[in-house]
Every structure is written in C-alpha cells, then in structure tokens.
Amino acid sequence: MTNKTENTAPTSFALMGCGRIAHKHAGLLSQGSIPDARLVAVCDVRPERAQEIGTLYNAPWYTNVHEMMAKQGDNIDVLSILTESGNHAAHLLETVRYRKHFVVEKPMALSLDHADAMIAACDRAGVKLFVVKQNRFNLPVRKLMDALTADRLGKLVMGSVRVRWCRTQAYYDQDAWRGTWALDGGVLANQASHHIDLLLWCMGEPESVMAMTTTGLVNIETEDTAAAVVRFRSGALGIIEATTATRPKDMEGSISVLGSTGVVEIGGFALNEMKTWQFTESQPGDEDVLGLYRTNPPNVYGFGHVEYLNHVVVAIRGSGRSLVDGLEGRKSLEMIQAIYESVESKREVALRFRPSRSRLGRSNEQKAPTP
C-alpha cells in the first residue's frame, strides 16, 4: 500500500465518477481548500464527463479505473467513489485489490448485504473506509452535539428532521439512474440520508419505524415525498419529513431536538443557521450563539465538505479516528431500508432486521417475495 509515511507530503485523491458531486470534491482538492490534500486523477466511463472534470481541475483523466491505477496508482492514497449509489459497492469491491483508502459518497450502498461486503473487504485489505456525512461538521451541528454531550437538553423527548427541497423533472432526467430503485432510491435514500444520519447521531439507538411515501410531482420509480415516525430505545420519538416537491425552490434542511431541559433547532436550507438555543439553565455565552452560528452557504451541499475532507486526511495520517466509518455509515442505511420496508408492508418495522419487502437496491424485475 502506498500510504504516505511523512506528514509533509499531501494525501493524494483520485475520483471515480465525474457527475454532479464530483465538482465539489475536485474543486476543494485542487484549489487549496484542503492544504494537506491534492487531486491527482479522475475517472468516468463517460469520456466527456471525465475530460470536463480533468480539464477544469487540471488532473489526468481516464475512462477505465484499472488504467488509471496502472498509470497513477503509486501516486494515489485515496479513491473517492462518487458514482451512482447503487454501484458504490461494486466499484469498491472491484478496486479494493489496490489497497487504497476509500471515501464513498452517501449512501454508502443501497443494500445492507452490499454495505457489509464493503466493510469486510476494507477490513481484510487493511484500508480505511470513510462515508461522506459532511453535515456532521457544520458549525451549528457541532454546537448541538456539544450540548448533547454536556447533557444540557436533559431527557430527550423528540427529534425532528425536515428536508424541503426542490428537484424538478429536469433534475431526474439528467441521468437515467436518478429516481430508480436499483441505483438511486428516492428522497429518503438520496437527499435525506444526511439528515437521517444526524437524527440517529443525536437521538441514539432506534427501536422501530413506521412510514408512508408518495410520488407527487415527478415521473420517477421512487418517492419524492416521505414521512416517518421513529421510536428510539430511550423512549423518545423522531420525525422524518422529506420531500423534493417543494416549489419553486429549496426551502429548508433542518433538525430540532427537544429535551426536558432545553431545545435546539438548526435551520436554513443546509443545516446552516442556529434558530433556537434555549435551556432551563443558561450558561455564559448562550446569548451569543444565535448570532455566531449563522452562515449562508451557496448551495445545499453547505460548507461541511472542507472539514470532512480535512478530517479524512487527519484520520489517514493516524492522528485521529474516523467519525463516519463503514459501520457508522451503515446505521443510516439500515434506517432507510427499514422505512422502505414499513412502506411496503404497511407495518411498524423493528430495527436490527433483514429487508424482505423493501425495493431499494432492486431493479423492477427483482420483486420482493410475498410475505
């Protein structure tokens, strides 16, 4: 394995997949936003996309990952898998032989079996697996986690996440895989996976979930609108509200946590604005929080990717543990699968389960068995 042994050398990244999110990764890695990292190569099976990203960000581009590894492998520390969600597992398992660390965009996979195979393969190869959950690094979110760690909210009663974004038919028509069960999933698996991750991170171990979905405004296989109620082992409840049917533009991506001694709400359209910071017992500095923890990111990706990729570099260099490894990334996938299972079965679904009815990760020809 070609991991750097000296902290003075930048950690080198190569991208697999040059779609929409690749611009975010490539821009940060190639323009100095991550001082200890650099972009060394990009790859996509569609030549025009590989060439676009490679040319724009001054990196060699390839249409075959094995050719890229043959020519650039000695210069690569990390492979970032930015392909279709349903192909993440196949692409990781195809390239784990090169013994590079992996950054995998959310969700890490569309089936629990695939997620487990990814985790096991990286363990056998002795490489790290990072799942992109950049919103954990948003400043207001970190402030919320500080309050939870210090037990300032007391007994947790309810946590809610809301995703009210706009994705028109033109968005889904950009690529044939969007909005499909086999490669994408709907608003829950795609847009809301970050928010579901944060709900679980804040509220603890889930016990069960009940859910309903609908497809209201676009022509896709999957849902554009969903609502779910989660029961946590602590006795607290959780609400997941997610839609891409907000019109005419994005409205909010938010989380609120209510406890016996306080309430915190983070709003904005990318979990970027502290809106409520209230406790039965105030502490010095509380009056400044609303003013200090307000940002205005240019898009729904927010600012968290910078801190997330810095965190990856630090973890690879052995200076800290990964905040979102494969096991942690699997938790939100299991909840998403349980939500889809509840939708199909029309029942409350207990967590720690194996899906039988969920369609996520299946093609239309792969129907779930009749119970």
Side-chain angles (χ1 to χ4, degrees):
M1 188 163 53
T2 59
N3 301 323
K4 299 288 188 285
T5 58
E6 297 182 3
N7 288 341
T8 56
T11 299
S12 301
F13 288 72
L15 308 186
M16 297 176 60
C18 294
R20 188 181 187 205
I21 193 62
H23 285 276
K24 186 71 174 180
H25 288 257
L28 294 176
L29 292 167
S30 65
Q31 297 171 354
S33 299
I34 318 297
D36 295 321
R38 62 174 181 162
L39 179 67
V40 296
V42 302
C43 179
D44 195 293
V45 294
R46 294 174 62 173
E48 68 278 10
R49 289 195 171 183
Q51 183 177 24
E52 177 188 3
I53 295 289
T55 301
L56 187 60
Y57 300 103
N58 196 29
W61 59 272
Y62 302 87
T63 58
N64 183 286
V65 67
H66 302 295
E67 180 187 359
M68 180 177 74
M69 297 309 299
K71 294 183 177 180
Q72 301 288 339
D74 290 343
N75 300 321
I76 295 171
D77 299 309
V78 184
L79 283 172
S80 295
I81 299 181
L82 315 180
T83 53
E84 307 89 347
S85 300
N87 286 328
H88 288 170
H91 291 153
L92 184 146
L93 296 174
E94 182 184 2
T95 55
V96 72
R97 72 183 80 166
Y98 298 110
R99 300 177 68 82
K100 307 297 179 181
H101 302 299
F102 287 98
V103 167
V104 181
E105 261 294 345
K106 58 76 187 170
M108 65 181 294
L110 294 187
S111 81
L112 295 176
D113 287 341
H114 285 170
D116 291 340
M118 295 164 72
I119 294 167
C122 288
D123 285 347
R124 287 193 300 269
V127 299
K128 295 180 183 293
L129 170 58
F130 303 89
V131 181
V132 178
K133 301 290 184 183
Q134 80 274 6
N135 285 330
R136 289 195 182 197
F137 295 86
N138 285 6
L139 288 178
V141 172
R142 296 177 79 166
K143 191 66 176 175
L144 166 58
M145 185 51 63
D146 287 344
L148 289 167
T149 302
D151 199 29
R152 293 199 65 192
L153 282 82
K155 179 183 178 181
L156 298 185
V157 177
M158 177 173 285
S160 301
V161 290
R162 294 166 299 281
V163 183
R164 297 171 174 174
W165 286 348
C166 175
R167 298 292 184 271
T168 65
Q169 189 66 47
Y171 165 84
Y172 292 101
D173 290 344
Q174 287 176 357
D175 294 288
W177 60 270
R178 294 187 185 276
T180 64
W181 287 114
L183 294 176
D184 188 19
V187 63
L188 289 164
N190 192 325
Q191 288 79 17
S193 62
H194 288 302
H195 305 76
I196 293 170
D197 170 71
L198 289 183
L199 183 68
L200 300 179
W201 194 37
C202 291
M203 300 298 292
E205 291 293 323
E207 183 175 281
S208 64
V209 65
M210 291 189 67
M212 298 178 69
T213 64
T214 189
T215 308
L217 297 183
V218 291
N219 180 24
I220 56 175
E221 290 180 7
T222 57
E223 84 289 346
D224 67 3
T225 302
V229 179
V230 182
R231 184 179 298 278
F232 291 93
R233 292 187 180 181
S234 66
L237 296 180
I239 304 294
I240 299 168
E241 175 195 330
T243 185
T244 53
T246 306
R247 299 292 186 269
K249 60 183 180 179
D250 294 330
M251 178 180 172
E252 70 171 312
S254 58
I255 183 171
S256 59
V257 180
L258 288 71
S260 60
T261 57
V263 56
V264 176
E265 180 184 11
I266 301 170
F269 60 81
L271 294 156
N272 55 281
E273 179 181 340
M274 188 72 79
K275 299 185 70 174
T276 304
W277 181 264
Q278 297 177 358
F279 304 94
T280 55
E281 296 185 9
S282 62
Q283 293 183 0
D286 280 349
E287 66 278 5
D288 300 322
V289 168
L290 295 185
L292 291 173
Y293 292 89
R294 290 175 181 265
T295 57
N296 187 28
N299 53 54
V300 295
Y301 294 135
F303 292 122
H305 276 92
V306 174
E307 290 304 316
Y308 176 82
L309 290 172
N310 274 315
H311 170 77
V312 168
V313 171
V314 169
I316 286 174
R317 295 182 176 204
S319 303
R321 63 175 293 271
S322 171
L323 187 61
V324 191
D325 58 13
L327 291 173
E328 194 71 11
R330 187 188 188 279
K331 292 179 181 179
S332 56
L333 174 61
E334 183 180 27
M335 173 56 71
I336 291 166
Q337 278 283 6
I339 292 172
Y340 284 131
E341 188 81 7
S342 176
V343 170
E344 296 298 327
S345 65
K346 297 180 174 58
R347 298 188 182 98
E348 182 176 5
V349 172
L351 273 293
R352 305 298 178 266
F353 80 115
R354 304 305 297 184
S356 62
R357 301 282 294 168
S358 171
R359 290 192 282 170
L360 184 63
R362 302 174 187 263
S363 68
N364 276 342
E365 290 72 33
Q366 294 173 299
K367 300 297 185 182
T370 302

